[in-house]
């Protein structure tokens, strides 16, 4: 019989497989469908990055399987394009976006693991230790995380504004919107994985993402010319948030939470 600690792979894997299949057949032509298509892809890239850095499981196979996960997303995009007669360069464009997102998220995620010592630990392993030897990821850590992400978004926005004013191009704003969409999901990944106060943490992370989305919309209003609509941004971010929260919630309900040991850990 499968040990309890491994059921997380069954439940999370089943949801991920269903989500992957739905992405392959969703025609990204209307606002809601486009939001589901792009939001699901973005959320999956974020979750793949989180798994590679935080676990569970040894990093020697987490990392290659995480990359394989992103590659499978490209397979889904390719199938979708062939079914719905999408653009010929769609796989390259979406693939570049997903791998850039995966790479960008490695820095904050590995800061949590290698820098601060937090990683996913099963409840029985964590409960076997004293509170002095094991430290939970708490509400204070989440607030610090959101503050750091907020500062990063502010810095990037200021840099983009300066480049846009100097060049007169709309491209920097589009780059900012893409990067902002990647970074703002980070608190949503870690909030459900708190051992205590998870529900207030999730509520704070959702409020943070709503505020960040509002900032995206303000930036988008500065762009004159063709591009995605405001409804598209809302649909993409909402779908991304829902997918991330569902998978992270399954992991949390399976008995895993973010904790660290006082002594150095083996990755």
């Amino acid at each position: 019989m499968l040990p309890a600690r491994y059921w997380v792979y069954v439940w999370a894997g089943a949801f991920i497989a269903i989500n992957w299949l739905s992405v392959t057949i969703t025609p990204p032509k209307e606002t809601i469908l486009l939001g589901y298509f792009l939001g699901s892809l973005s959320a999956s890239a974020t979750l793949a990055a989180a798994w590679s850095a935080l676990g569970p499981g040894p990093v020697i196979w987490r990392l290659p399987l995480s990359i394989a996960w992103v590659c499978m997303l490209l397979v889904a995009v390719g199938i979708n394009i062939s079914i719905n007669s999408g653009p010929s360069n769609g796989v390259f464009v979406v693939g570049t976006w997903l791998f850039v997102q995966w790479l960008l998220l490695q820095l904050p995620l590995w800061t949590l693991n290698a820098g601060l010592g937090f990683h996913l630990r099963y409840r029985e392993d964590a409960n076997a230790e004293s509170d002095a030897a094991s430290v939970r990821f708490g509400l204070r850590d989440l607030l610090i995380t959101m503050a750091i992400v907020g500062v990063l978004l502010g810095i990037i926005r200021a840099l983009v504004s300066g480049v846009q004013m100097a060049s007169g191009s709309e491209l920097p704003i589009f780059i900012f919107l893409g990067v902002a969409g990647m970074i703002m999901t980070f608190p949503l990944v870690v909030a459900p994985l708190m051992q205590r106060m998870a529900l207030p943490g999730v509520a704070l992370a959702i409020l943070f993402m709503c505020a960040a989305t509002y900032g995206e919309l303000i930036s988008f209003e500065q762009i004159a010319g063709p591009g995605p609509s405001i409804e598209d941004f809302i649909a993409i971010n909402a779908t991304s948030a829902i997918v991330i929260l569902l998978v992270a919630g399954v992991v949390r309900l399976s008995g895993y939470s973010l904790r660290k040991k006082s002594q150095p850990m083996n990755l």
Side-chain angles (χ1 to χ4, degrees), residues 57 161 238:
S161 296

Side-chain angles (χ1 to χ4, degrees), residues 194-249:
M194 296 164 54
Q195 190 172 29
R196 296 179 180 175
M197 303 289 289
L199 289 179
V202 169
L204 284 173
I206 292 174
L207 287 175
F208 175 84
M209 189 164 184
C210 290
T213 301
Y214 179 73
E216 265 194 312
L217 299 181
I218 293 176
S219 299
F220 176 72
E221 290 175 353
Q222 300 178 15
I223 302 174
S229 67
I230 292 177
E231 291 78 9
D232 290 333
F233 281 113
I234 294 175
I236 291 169
N237 289 345
T239 301
S240 182
I242 291 171
V243 173
I244 288 173
L245 288 175
L246 285 174
V247 175

Side-chain angles (χ1 to χ4, degrees), residues 40-74:
S40 294
L41 290 172
S42 177
S44 297
T46 297
L47 291 167
W51 182 42
S52 70
L54 301 177
V59 70
I60 194 171
W61 58 266
R62 285 197 327 256
L63 187 58
L65 287 178
S66 174
I67 296 174
W69 184 353
V70 179
C71 291
M72 286 301 298
L73 296 176
L74 298 187

Side-chain angles (χ1 to χ4, degrees), residues 9 30 33 41 51 77 81 104 119-120 163 188 190 228 244:
Y9 298 107
E30 299 178 4
L33 296 178
L41 290 172
W51 182 42
V77 173
I81 288 175
L104 283 176
H119 69 142
L120 282 175
V163 173
L188 285 173
V190 296
I244 288 173

